[in-house]
Coordinates of all heavy atoms in Angstrom, one line a residue:
M1 N 0.9 -1.2 0.0 CA 0.0 0.0 0.0 C 0.9 1.2 0.0 O 1.8 1.4 0.8 CB -0.9 0.0 1.2 CG -1.9 1.1 1.3 SD -3.0 1.1 2.7 CE -3.8 -0.5 2.6
T2 N 0.7 2.1 -0.9 CA 1.5 3.4 -1.0 C 1.1 4.3 0.1 O 0.0 4.2 0.7 CB 1.3 4.1 -2.3 OG1 0.0 4.5 -2.4 CG2 1.6 3.1 -3.5
E3 N 1.9 5.3 0.4 CA 1.6 6.2 1.5 C 0.4 7.0 1.2 O -0.4 7.3 2.1 CB 2.8 7.2 1.7 CG 2.7 8.1 2.9 CD 3.9 8.9 3.1 OE1 5.0 8.5 2.8 OE2 3.7 10.1 3.6
N4 N 0.2 7.4 -0.1 CA -1.0 8.2 -0.4 C -2.3 7.3 -0.2 O -3.3 7.8 0.2 CB -1.0 8.7 -1.8 CG -0.1 9.9 -2.0 OD1 0.2 10.5 -1.0 ND2 0.3 10.3 -3.2
T5 N -2.2 6.1 -0.6 CA -3.4 5.2 -0.4 C -3.6 5.0 1.0 O -4.8 5.0 1.5 CB -3.1 3.8 -1.1 OG1 -2.8 4.0 -2.5 CG2 -4.3 2.9 -1.0
Q6 N -2.6 4.8 1.8 CA -2.7 4.6 3.3 C -3.3 5.9 3.9 O -4.2 5.8 4.7 CB -1.4 4.3 3.9 CG -1.5 3.9 5.4 CD -0.2 3.5 5.9 OE1 0.9 3.7 5.4 NE2 -0.2 2.9 7.1
S7 N -2.9 7.0 3.5 CA -3.4 8.3 4.0 C -4.9 8.5 3.6 O -5.7 8.9 4.5 CB -2.6 9.5 3.4 OG -1.3 9.5 3.9
A8 N -5.2 8.1 2.4 CA -6.6 8.2 2.0 C -7.5 7.2 2.8 O -8.6 7.5 3.2 CB -6.8 7.9 0.5
T9 N -7.0 6.0 3.1 CA -7.7 5.1 3.9 C -7.9 5.6 5.3 O -9.0 5.5 5.9 CB -6.9 3.7 3.9 OG1 -6.8 3.2 2.6 CG2 -7.7 2.7 4.8
I10 N -6.9 6.1 5.9 CA -7.0 6.7 7.3 C -8.0 7.9 7.3 O -8.9 8.0 8.1 CB -5.7 7.2 7.8 CG1 -4.8 5.9 8.1 CG2 -5.8 8.0 9.1 CD1 -3.4 6.3 8.5
Y11 N -7.9 8.7 6.3 CA -8.9 9.8 6.1 C -10.3 9.3 6.1 O -11.2 9.8 6.8 CB -8.5 10.6 4.9 CG -9.2 12.0 4.7 CD1 -8.6 13.1 5.2 CD2 -10.4 12.1 4.1 CE1 -9.2 14.4 5.1 CE2 -11.0 13.3 4.0 CZ -10.4 14.5 4.5 OH -11.0 15.7 4.4
D12 N -10.5 8.3 5.3 CA -11.9 7.7 5.1 C -12.4 7.1 6.4 O -13.5 7.2 6.8 CB -11.9 6.6 4.0 CG -11.8 7.3 2.6 OD1 -12.0 8.5 2.5 OD2 -11.4 6.5 1.7
E13 N -11.4 6.4 7.1 CA -11.8 5.8 8.4 C -12.2 6.9 9.4 O -13.1 6.7 10.2 CB -10.6 5.0 9.0 CG -10.4 3.7 8.2 CD -9.3 2.9 8.7 OE1 -9.0 2.9 9.9 OE2 -8.6 2.2 7.9
V14 N -11.4 8.0 9.4 CA -11.8 9.1 10.3 C -13.1 9.7 10.0 O -14.0 9.9 10.9 CB -10.7 10.2 10.2 CG1 -11.1 11.5 10.9 CG2 -9.4 9.7 10.8
L15 N -13.4 9.8 8.7 CA -14.8 10.3 8.3 C -15.9 9.3 8.8 O -16.9 9.8 9.2 CB -14.8 10.4 6.8 CG -14.2 11.7 6.2 CD1 -14.2 11.6 4.7 CD2 -14.8 12.9 6.7
E16 N -15.6 8.1 8.7 CA -16.6 7.1 9.2 C -16.9 7.3 10.7 O -18.1 7.2 11.1 CB -16.1 5.7 8.9 CG -16.3 5.2 7.5 CD -15.9 3.7 7.4 OE1 -16.1 2.9 8.3 OE2 -15.3 3.4 6.3
V17 N -15.9 7.4 11.5 CA -16.1 7.6 12.9 C -16.8 8.9 13.2 O -17.7 9.0 14.0 CB -14.7 7.5 13.7 CG1 -14.9 7.9 15.1 CG2 -14.1 6.2 13.5
L18 N -16.4 10.0 12.5 CA -17.1 11.3 12.7 C -18.5 11.2 12.3 O -19.4 11.8 13.0 CB -16.4 12.4 11.9 CG -15.0 12.7 12.3 CD1 -14.3 13.8 11.4 CD2 -15.0 13.2 13.8
D19 N -18.9 10.4 11.3 CA -20.3 10.3 10.9 C -21.1 9.6 12.0 O -22.3 9.8 12.1 CB -20.4 9.5 9.5 CG -20.0 10.4 8.3 OD1 -20.0 11.6 8.5 OD2 -19.7 9.8 7.3
K20 N -20.4 8.7 12.7 CA -21.1 8.0 13.8 C -21.4 9.0 15.0 O -22.4 8.9 15.7 CB -20.3 6.8 14.4 CG -20.2 5.7 13.4 CD -19.3 4.6 14.1 CE -18.8 3.6 13.1 NZ -17.9 2.7 13.8
L21 N -20.4 9.9 15.2 CA -20.5 10.9 16.3 C -21.4 12.1 16.0 O -21.9 12.7 16.8 CB -19.1 11.4 16.7 CG -18.1 10.3 17.2 CD1 -16.8 10.9 17.3 CD2 -18.6 9.6 18.4
R22 N -21.5 12.4 14.7 CA -22.2 13.6 14.2 C -23.6 13.8 14.8 O -23.9 14.9 15.2 CB -22.1 13.7 12.7 CG -22.6 15.0 12.1 CD -22.3 15.1 10.6 NE -21.0 15.7 10.5 CZ -19.9 15.0 10.0 NH1 -20.0 13.8 9.5 NH2 -18.7 15.6 9.9
P23 N -24.4 12.7 14.8 CA -25.8 12.9 15.4 C -25.8 13.5 16.8 O -26.7 14.3 17.2 CB -26.4 11.5 15.3 CG -25.7 10.9 14.2 CD -24.2 11.4 14.3
F24 N -24.8 13.1 17.6 CA -24.8 13.6 19.0 C -24.4 15.0 19.0 O -25.0 15.8 19.8 CB -23.8 12.7 19.8 CG -24.1 11.3 19.9 CD1 -23.4 10.4 19.1 CD2 -25.1 10.8 20.7 CE1 -23.7 9.0 19.1 CE2 -25.4 9.5 20.8 CZ -24.7 8.6 19.9
L25 N -23.5 15.5 18.2 CA -23.2 16.9 18.1 C -24.3 17.7 17.5 O -24.6 18.8 18.1 CB -21.9 17.1 17.2 CG -20.6 16.4 17.7 CD1 -19.6 16.4 16.6 CD2 -20.1 17.0 19.0
Q26 N -25.0 17.2 16.5 CA -26.1 17.9 15.9 C -27.3 18.0 16.8 O -28.0 19.0 16.8 CB -26.5 17.2 14.6 CG -25.4 17.4 13.5 CD -25.7 16.6 12.3 OE1 -26.5 15.6 12.3 NE2 -25.1 17.0 11.2
R27 N -27.4 17.1 17.7 CA -28.5 17.1 18.7 C -28.4 18.3 19.6 O -29.4 18.9 20.0 CB -28.6 15.8 19.5 CG -29.7 15.7 20.5 CD -29.6 14.5 21.3 NE -28.4 14.5 22.1 CZ -27.8 13.4 22.5 NH1 -28.2 12.2 22.2 NH2 -26.7 13.5 23.2
D28 N -27.2 18.7 19.8 CA -26.9 19.9 20.7 C -26.7 21.2 19.9 O -26.2 22.2 20.4 CB -25.7 19.6 21.6 CG -26.0 18.6 22.6 OD1 -27.2 18.5 23.0 OD2 -25.1 17.8 23.0
G29 N -26.9 21.1 18.6 CA -26.8 22.3 17.7 C -25.4 22.5 17.1 O -25.1 23.6 16.6
G30 N -24.6 21.5 17.2 CA -23.2 21.7 16.6 C -23.0 20.7 15.5 O -23.8 20.0 15.1
D31 N -21.7 20.7 15.1 CA -21.3 19.8 14.1 C -19.7 19.9 14.0 O -19.1 20.7 14.7 CB -21.8 20.2 12.7 CG -21.9 19.0 11.8 OD1 -21.3 17.9 12.1 OD2 -22.6 19.1 10.7
V32 N -19.1 19.0 13.2 CA -17.7 18.9 13.1 C -17.3 18.8 11.6 O -18.0 18.1 10.9 CB -17.1 17.8 14.0 CG1 -17.6 16.4 13.5 CG2 -15.6 17.8 14.1
E33 N -16.2 19.4 11.3 CA -15.7 19.3 9.9 C -14.3 18.8 9.9 O -13.5 19.3 10.7 CB -15.7 20.7 9.2 CG -15.1 20.7 7.8 CD -15.0 22.1 7.3 OE1 -15.8 23.0 7.7 OE2 -14.2 22.4 6.4
L34 N -14.0 17.8 9.2 CA -12.6 17.3 9.1 C -11.8 18.2 8.2 O -12.2 18.3 7.0 CB -12.6 15.8 8.5 CG -11.3 15.2 8.3 CD1 -10.5 15.1 9.6 CD2 -11.5 13.8 7.8
V35 N -10.8 18.8 8.7 CA -9.9 19.7 7.9 C -8.7 18.9 7.3 O -8.4 19.1 6.1 CB -9.4 20.8 8.8 CG1 -8.4 21.7 8.0 CG2 -10.6 21.7 9.3
D36 N -8.1 18.1 8.1 CA -6.9 17.4 7.6 C -6.5 16.2 8.6 O -6.9 16.3 9.7 CB -5.7 18.3 7.5 CG -4.6 17.8 6.6 OD1 -4.8 16.8 5.9 OD2 -3.5 18.4 6.7
V37 N -5.8 15.3 8.1 CA -5.2 14.2 8.9 C -3.7 14.2 8.4 O -3.4 14.0 7.2 CB -5.8 12.8 8.6 CG1 -5.1 11.8 9.5 CG2 -7.3 12.9 8.9
E38 N -2.8 14.4 9.4 CA -1.4 14.5 9.0 C -0.6 13.9 10.2 O -0.7 14.4 11.3 CB -1.0 16.0 8.8 CG 0.4 16.1 8.3 CD 0.7 17.6 8.0 OE1 -0.2 18.4 7.7 OE2 1.9 17.9 8.1
D39 N 0.2 12.9 9.8 CA 1.1 12.3 10.8 C 0.4 11.8 12.1 O 0.9 12.0 13.2 CB 2.3 13.2 11.2 CG 3.1 13.6 10.0 OD1 3.3 12.7 9.1 OD2 3.6 14.7 9.9
G40 N -0.8 11.2 11.9 CA -1.5 10.7 13.1 C -2.3 11.8 13.8 O -3.0 11.5 14.8
I41 N -2.3 13.0 13.4 CA -3.0 14.1 14.0 C -4.2 14.5 13.2 O -4.0 14.8 12.0 CB -2.1 15.3 14.3 CG1 -0.9 14.9 15.2 CG2 -2.9 16.5 14.9 CD1 0.2 16.0 15.3
V42 N -5.4 14.5 13.8 CA -6.6 14.8 13.1 C -6.9 16.3 13.4 O -6.9 16.7 14.6 CB -7.8 13.9 13.5 CG1 -9.1 14.4 12.9 CG2 -7.5 12.5 13.2
K43 N -7.1 17.1 12.4 CA -7.4 18.5 12.6 C -8.9 18.7 12.3 O -9.4 18.4 11.2 CB -6.6 19.4 11.6 CG -5.1 19.3 12.0 CD -4.3 20.0 11.0 CE -2.8 19.8 11.3 NZ -1.9 20.5 10.4
L44 N -9.6 19.2 13.3 CA -11.1 19.4 13.1 C -11.5 20.8 13.4 O -10.9 21.5 14.2 CB -11.8 18.5 14.2 CG -11.6 17.0 14.1 CD1 -12.3 16.3 15.3 CD2 -12.1 16.4 12.8
K45 N -12.6 21.2 12.7 CA -13.2 22.5 13.0 C -14.6 22.2 13.6 O -15.4 21.5 13.0 CB -13.3 23.3 11.7 CG -13.9 24.6 11.9 CD -14.0 25.4 10.6 CE -14.5 26.8 10.8 NZ -14.6 27.5 9.5
L46 N -14.8 22.7 14.8 CA -16.1 22.6 15.5 C -16.9 23.7 15.0 O -16.5 24.9 14.9 CB -15.9 22.6 17.0 CG -15.1 21.4 17.6 CD1 -14.9 21.6 19.1 CD2 -15.8 20.1 17.3
M47 N -18.2 23.4 14.7 CA -19.1 24.4 14.1 C -20.3 24.5 14.9 O -20.7 23.6 15.7 CB -19.4 24.0 12.6 CG -18.1 23.9 11.8 SD -18.4 23.4 10.0 CE -19.5 22.1 10.1
G48 N -21.1 25.5 14.5 CA -22.4 25.7 15.2 C -22.2 26.0 16.7 O -21.2 26.6 17.1
A49 N -23.1 25.4 17.5 CA -23.0 25.6 19.0 C -21.7 25.0 19.5 O -21.2 25.5 20.5 CB -24.2 24.9 19.6
C50 N -21.1 24.0 18.9 CA -19.8 23.4 19.4 C -18.7 24.4 19.3 O -17.7 24.4 20.0 CB -19.5 22.2 18.6 SG -20.6 20.8 18.9
G51 N -18.7 25.3 18.3 CA -17.6 26.3 18.1 C -17.5 27.3 19.2 O -16.4 27.7 19.5
S52 N -18.6 27.6 19.9 CA -18.5 28.6 21.0 C -18.9 28.0 22.4 O -18.9 28.7 23.3 CB -19.5 29.7 20.7 OG -20.8 29.2 20.6
C53 N -19.0 26.7 22.5 CA -19.4 26.0 23.7 C -18.2 25.9 24.7 O -17.1 25.5 24.2 CB -20.0 24.6 23.4 SG -20.4 23.7 24.9
P54 N -18.4 26.3 25.9 CA -17.3 26.2 26.9 C -16.9 24.7 27.1 O -15.8 24.5 27.5 CB -17.9 26.7 28.2 CG -19.3 27.2 27.9 CD -19.6 26.9 26.5
S55 N -17.7 23.8 26.8 CA -17.3 22.4 27.0 C -16.7 21.8 25.7 O -16.5 20.6 25.6 CB -18.6 21.6 27.4 OG -19.1 22.0 28.6
S56 N -16.5 22.6 24.7 CA -16.0 22.0 23.4 C -14.6 21.3 23.6 O -14.4 20.3 22.9 CB -15.9 23.1 22.4 OG -14.9 24.1 22.7
T57 N -13.8 21.8 24.4 CA -12.5 21.1 24.6 C -12.7 19.7 25.2 O -12.1 18.7 24.7 CB -11.6 21.9 25.6 OG1 -11.4 23.2 25.0 CG2 -10.2 21.2 25.8
I58 N -13.7 19.5 26.1 CA -14.0 18.2 26.6 C -14.6 17.3 25.6 O -14.2 16.2 25.4 CB -14.9 18.4 27.8 CG1 -14.2 19.1 29.0 CG2 -15.4 17.0 28.3 CD1 -15.1 19.5 30.1
T59 N -15.5 17.9 24.8 CA -16.1 17.2 23.7 C -15.0 16.7 22.7 O -15.0 15.5 22.3 CB -17.1 18.0 22.9 OG1 -18.1 18.4 23.8 CG2 -17.7 17.3 21.7
L60 N -14.1 17.6 22.4 CA -13.0 17.3 21.4 C -12.1 16.2 22.0 O -11.8 15.2 21.3 CB -12.2 18.5 21.1 CG -11.2 18.4 20.0 CD1 -12.0 18.4 18.7 CD2 -10.3 19.6 20.0
K61 N -11.6 16.3 23.2 CA -10.6 15.4 23.7 C -11.2 14.1 24.3 O -10.8 13.0 24.0 CB -9.8 16.1 24.8 CG -8.9 17.2 24.3 CD -7.8 16.6 23.4 CE -6.9 17.6 22.9 NZ -5.8 17.1 22.0
A62 N -12.2 14.2 25.2 CA -12.8 13.1 25.8 C -13.7 12.3 24.9 O -13.9 11.1 25.1 CB -13.5 13.5 27.1
G63 N -14.4 13.0 24.0 CA -15.3 12.3 23.1 C -14.7 11.9 21.8 O -14.5 10.8 21.5
I64 N -14.4 12.9 21.0 CA -14.0 12.7 19.6 C -12.6 12.0 19.5 O -12.4 11.1 18.8 CB -14.1 14.0 18.8 CG1 -15.5 14.5 18.7 CG2 -13.5 13.8 17.4 CD1 -15.6 15.9 18.1
E65 N -11.7 12.6 20.3 CA -10.3 12.1 20.2 C -10.3 10.6 20.7 O -9.7 9.8 20.1 CB -9.4 12.9 21.1 CG -7.9 12.4 21.0 CD -7.0 13.3 21.8 OE1 -6.9 13.1 23.0 OE2 -6.3 14.1 21.2
R66 N -11.0 10.4 21.8 CA -11.0 9.0 22.4 C -11.5 8.0 21.3 O -10.9 6.9 21.1 CB -11.8 8.9 23.7 CG -11.6 7.6 24.4 CD -12.6 7.5 25.5 NE -13.9 7.4 24.8 CZ -15.0 7.4 25.5 NH1 -15.1 7.4 26.7 NH2 -16.2 7.3 24.8
A67 N -12.6 8.4 20.7 CA -13.2 7.5 19.7 C -12.3 7.2 18.5 O -12.1 6.1 18.0 CB -14.5 8.0 19.2
L68 N -11.6 8.3 18.0 CA -10.8 8.2 16.9 C -9.5 7.4 17.2 O -9.1 6.5 16.4 CB -10.4 9.6 16.3 CG -11.5 10.3 15.6 CD1 -11.1 11.7 15.3 CD2 -11.9 9.5 14.3
V69 N -8.9 7.6 18.4 CA -7.7 6.8 18.7 C -8.0 5.4 18.9 O -7.3 4.5 18.5 CB -7.1 7.4 20.0 CG1 -6.0 6.5 20.6 CG2 -6.5 8.8 19.8
E70 N -9.2 5.1 19.5 CA -9.6 3.7 19.6 C -10.0 3.0 18.3 O -9.7 1.8 18.1 CB -10.8 3.6 20.6 CG -10.5 3.8 22.0 CD -11.8 3.8 22.9 OE1 -12.9 3.4 22.4 OE2 -11.7 4.1 24.1
E71 N -10.6 3.7 17.4 CA -11.1 3.0 16.2 C -10.3 3.1 14.9 O -10.5 2.4 14.0 CB -12.5 3.6 15.9 CG -13.5 3.2 17.0 CD -14.9 3.5 16.6 OE1 -15.3 3.2 15.4 OE2 -15.7 3.9 17.5
V72 N -9.3 4.1 14.9 CA -8.5 4.3 13.7 C -7.1 4.1 14.0 O -6.5 4.9 14.8 CB -8.8 5.7 13.0 CG1 -8.0 5.8 11.8 CG2 -10.3 5.9 12.8
E73 N -6.5 3.1 13.5 CA -5.1 2.8 13.7 C -4.2 3.9 13.2 O -4.4 4.4 12.1 CB -4.7 1.5 13.1 CG -3.3 1.0 13.4 CD -2.9 -0.3 12.8 OE1 -3.9 -1.1 12.6 OE2 -1.8 -0.6 12.6
G74 N -3.3 4.4 14.0 CA -2.3 5.4 13.6 C -2.7 6.8 14.1 O -1.9 7.7 14.0
I75 N -3.9 7.0 14.6 CA -4.3 8.3 15.1 C -3.8 8.5 16.5 O -4.0 7.6 17.3 CB -5.9 8.5 15.0 CG1 -6.4 8.4 13.6 CG2 -6.3 9.8 15.7 CD1 -5.8 9.4 12.6
T76 N -3.2 9.6 16.8 CA -2.6 9.8 18.1 C -3.2 11.0 18.8 O -3.1 11.1 20.0 CB -1.1 10.0 18.0 OG1 -0.8 11.1 17.1 CG2 -0.4 8.8 17.5
E77 N -3.7 11.9 18.1 CA -4.2 13.2 18.7 C -5.3 13.8 17.8 O -5.3 13.7 16.6 CB -3.0 14.1 18.9 CG -3.4 15.4 19.6 CD -2.2 16.3 19.8 OE1 -1.1 16.1 19.3 OE2 -2.4 17.3 20.6
V78 N -6.1 14.6 18.4 CA -7.1 15.4 17.7 C -6.9 16.9 18.2 O -6.8 17.1 19.4 CB -8.5 15.0 18.0 CG1 -9.5 15.9 17.3 CG2 -8.8 13.6 17.4
V79 N -6.8 17.8 17.2 CA -6.6 19.2 17.6 C -7.7 20.0 16.8 O -8.2 19.6 15.8 CB -5.3 19.8 17.2 CG1 -4.2 19.1 18.0 CG2 -5.0 19.6 15.7
Q80 N -8.1 21.1 17.5 CA -9.1 22.0 16.9 C -8.4 23.1 16.1 O -7.4 23.7 16.6 CB -10.0 22.6 18.0 CG -11.1 23.5 17.5 CD -12.0 24.0 18.6 OE1 -11.8 23.8 19.7 NE2 -12.9 24.8 18.2
V81 N -8.9 23.3 14.9 CA -8.4 24.5 14.1 C -9.6 25.5 13.9 O -10.7 25.1 14.0 CB -7.9 24.0 12.7 CG1 -6.7 23.1 12.9 CG2 -8.9 23.3 11.9
F82 N -9.2 26.7 13.7 CA -10.2 27.7 13.6 C -10.3 28.4 12.2 O -9.4 28.2 11.5 CB -10.0 28.8 14.7 CG -10.0 28.3 16.1 CD1 -8.9 27.9 16.7 CD2 -11.3 28.2 16.7 CE1 -9.0 27.4 18.0 CE2 -11.3 27.7 18.0 CZ -10.2 27.3 18.7

């Protein structure tokens, strides 16, 4: 598997996990956008209510990051981009 194919696979796997989590975010008026995956780091943009919520860091780290690290091999961290 080439590096580009592997990167595309990881990107697709991250999207699958985010699609599972998205209904929970949308229920609270928010959403998430995948910006990039690079060297095991997922870059996300929190949108809607999630973008300004004081609990967004907890959502990002305890919820989204935990799920991605557990379900997608090679993911080590999730960071928020603005």
